Amino acid sequence: MKRIELPRPIEDYFAFAELPPGERGRRFTITFTYFEGERLDRLQWWWQLNAGQERSGGELALQQARREAVERFRAHIETWLINSDRRLAGGEPFPFLERLAQSEPAWAEPADARDAWQEPRVVNH
């Protein structure tokens, strides 16, 4: 089952912001907002470009760092969905977070495998 079923690429739902530059360089955040039931919630990913990186790479370094941050954030969301047994489904302007309905946990043994491990019975002849 697909974990992300949205009408647009997930990156289209990301919001980007930059904090005021500080001693350690420039700091940025990516925010992904979603509905969980009636509640609006969000995930955030923080990243930074230190002054040395900016001096040596300029705008290209910033663009590369942003691409890498977006890729890592997307991978984080995909892992989070798998680990929490959830999926994102279409919705505008924000996606919906839904729990997957399963009869048994994904890690459970098949029923026929459990039957093979029953207690041995002693039969007197």
Side-chain angles (χ1 to χ4, degrees):
M1 169 174 268
K2 291 175 71 172
R3 299 291 175 152
I4 300 176
E5 295 184 32
L6 302 175
R8 298 180 283 142
I10 192 168
E11 293 86 352
D12 288 356
Y13 295 90
F14 292 174
F16 299 88
E18 180 178 356
L19 278 66
E23 294 176 8
R24 303 177 88 181
R26 296 169 65 183
R27 295 185 331 157
F28 304 86
T29 183
I30 306 170
T31 303
F32 174 68
T33 305
Y34 60 90
F35 277 108
E36 185 172 11
E38 296 291 319
R39 185 176 65 115
L40 191 62
D41 207 345
R42 72 179 187 274
L43 293 173
Q44 286 191 310
W45 188 263
W46 292 82
W47 59 282
Q48 75 176 34
L49 189 69
N50 67 44
Q53 291 171 311
E54 189 171 12
R55 276 193 307 272
S56 67
E59 188 63 28
L60 288 176
L62 177 61
Q63 290 173 5
Q64 179 63 29
R66 180 178 170 158
R67 274 193 301 275
E68 290 173 2
V70 167
E71 290 172 15
R72 288 182 179 139
F73 190 35
R74 180 186 170 91
H76 173 75
I77 291 171
E78 290 170 349
T79 301
W80 171 64
L81 292 170
I82 291 167
N83 290 342
S84 64
D85 201 27
R86 296 177 182 204
R87 74 183 192 113
L88 291 168
E92 292 295 333
F94 305 115
F96 293 97
L97 180 66
E98 301 172 343
R99 184 167 294 283
L100 294 175
Q102 290 185 339
S103 58
E104 294 186 39
W107 49 264
E109 294 178 10
D112 57 348
R114 286 192 298 265
D115 294 340
W117 292 101
Q118 290 180 352
E119 289 285 323
R121 290 184 281 167
V122 176
V123 178
N124 291 332
H125 293 291

